[in-house]
Amino acid sequence: DQQVKQNSPSLSVQEGRISILNCDYTNSMFDYFLWYKKYPAEGPTFLISISSIKDKNEDGRFTVFLNKSAKHLSLHIVPSQPGDSAVYFCAASSEDTGNQFYFGTGTSLTVIP
Amino acid sequence: DSGVTQTPKHLITATGQRVTLRCSPRSGDLSVYWYQQSLDQGLQFLIQYYNGEERAKGNILERFSAQQFPDLHSELNLSSLELGDSALYFCASSKQAGGYEKLFFGSGTQLSVL
């Protein structure tokens, strides 16, 4: 049962343009969401998070938007840089789900110079 | 460098065998998580330990077991291995056990069962 879904396995964007990565979830109890970035041969690294009391969180070039009614979140990267090329995972959790983090299947982003 | 150390990086073994994967969490972190990533799959949660005690269990097979030792390092034991167990196994750690923690991941152990 995939409670967190990333329906786009891959995305290609030109350098300098905006990258938008999407994530949908099914469990309305989730109230904390995170994005992780993974380079080959490395473990995922934390990128940005958002709690359900907010609908937007920004950190430099990275902004996460949360639409609770649609059970959807997105990660915007502006401007995209070649070093952003990686696999991006979204994850969700809540105290009510037993402290488990549920991860999506990932979106591979390629930023073309 | 996340501060989480996993050994070995690569492991090749045969069906029916048993292996042990090791994880040392970041200094000061009490919680350890194990995840499995198979081809084209997301990170599947296996099990979580907090300060030596099992805290949460996910889709962990009965052939798999884990423990966290007094020095907080953790081991994941996989037995009666099958071809389908071939995957990347990640360990992650966090300071506490709550669902609002940031996880810090190791670089993983790539297990190949032949």
Side-chain angles (χ1 to χ4, degrees):
Chain A
D1 178 25
Q2 194 71 25
Q3 298 195 43
V4 177
K5 299 176 185 178
Q6 294 175 258
N7 293 318
S8 297
S10 62
L11 175 68
S12 291
V13 171
Q14 287 290 133
E15 181 178 3
R17 305 295 290 269
I18 184 171
S19 295
I20 300 176
L21 295 92
N22 294 304
C23 180
D24 297 294
Y25 60 96
T26 57
N27 191 334
S28 59
M29 299 305 294
F30 289 144
D31 57 7
Y32 183 56
F33 305 88
L34 311 92
W35 284 94
Y36 284 83
K37 176 179 179 179
K38 182 183 178 307
Y39 292 118
E42 295 182 12
T45 55
F46 171 77
L47 190 57
I48 192 169
S49 64
I50 188 168
S51 78
S52 60
I53 61 172
K54 292 185 169 184
D55 54 17
K56 176 183 173 181
N57 189 27
E58 195 170 349
D59 183 2
R61 297 185 297 112
F62 302 90
T63 303
V64 56
F65 294 92
L66 175 62
N67 182 333
K68 289 185 290 294
S69 60
K71 296 194 187 70
H72 177 83
L73 66 155
S74 60
L75 175 68
H76 293 209
I77 307 173
V78 183
S80 301
Q81 299 174 354
D84 296 329
S85 297
V87 177
Y88 290 78
F89 292 96
C90 66
S93 75
S94 80
E95 297 288 353
D96 290 333
T97 57
N99 304 315
Q100 289 189 35
F101 289 89
Y102 292 84
F103 282 79
T105 51
T107 295
S108 178
L109 173 66
T110 301
V111 180
I112 304 163
Chain B
D1 182 8
S2 68
V4 178
T5 303
Q6 284 189 251
T7 57
K9 287 194 185 306
H10 302 277
L11 200 47
I12 301 174
T13 187
T15 55
Q17 295 298 305
R18 172 189 167 96
V19 297
T20 298
L21 313 184
R22 183 187 167 102
C23 170
S24 293
R26 286 190 325 156
S27 176
D29 283 0
L30 299 178
S31 198
V32 169
Y33 308 75
W34 287 97
Y35 284 85
Q36 179 193 56
Q37 185 184 17
S38 303
L39 202 61
D40 296 332
Q41 296 290 314
L43 293 157
Q44 300 293 319
F45 171 70
L46 296 178
I47 197 164
Q48 177 198 5
Y49 279 83
Y50 175 72
N51 205 20
E53 302 284 330
E54 182 183 305
R55 184 65 179 244
K57 216 167 190 174
N59 299 322
I60 188 166
L61 299 172
E62 284 191 15
R63 300 183 286 109
F64 297 180
S65 64
Q67 54 184 325
Q68 186 180 28
F69 294 86
D71 67 352
L72 301 177
H73 92 271
S74 178
E75 293 181 356
L76 178 67
N77 299 296
L78 315 176
S79 61
S80 303
L81 284 168
E82 301 175 359
L83 295 177
D85 297 328
S86 296
L88 192 50
Y89 291 85
F90 286 107
C91 165
S93 73
S94 65
K95 286 200 182 305
Q96 298 296 327
Y100 305 116
E101 296 285 313
K102 282 182 233 177
L103 302 185
F104 293 86
F105 283 83
S107 56
T109 294
Q110 179 68 59
L111 173 66
S112 298
V113 182
L114 305 178

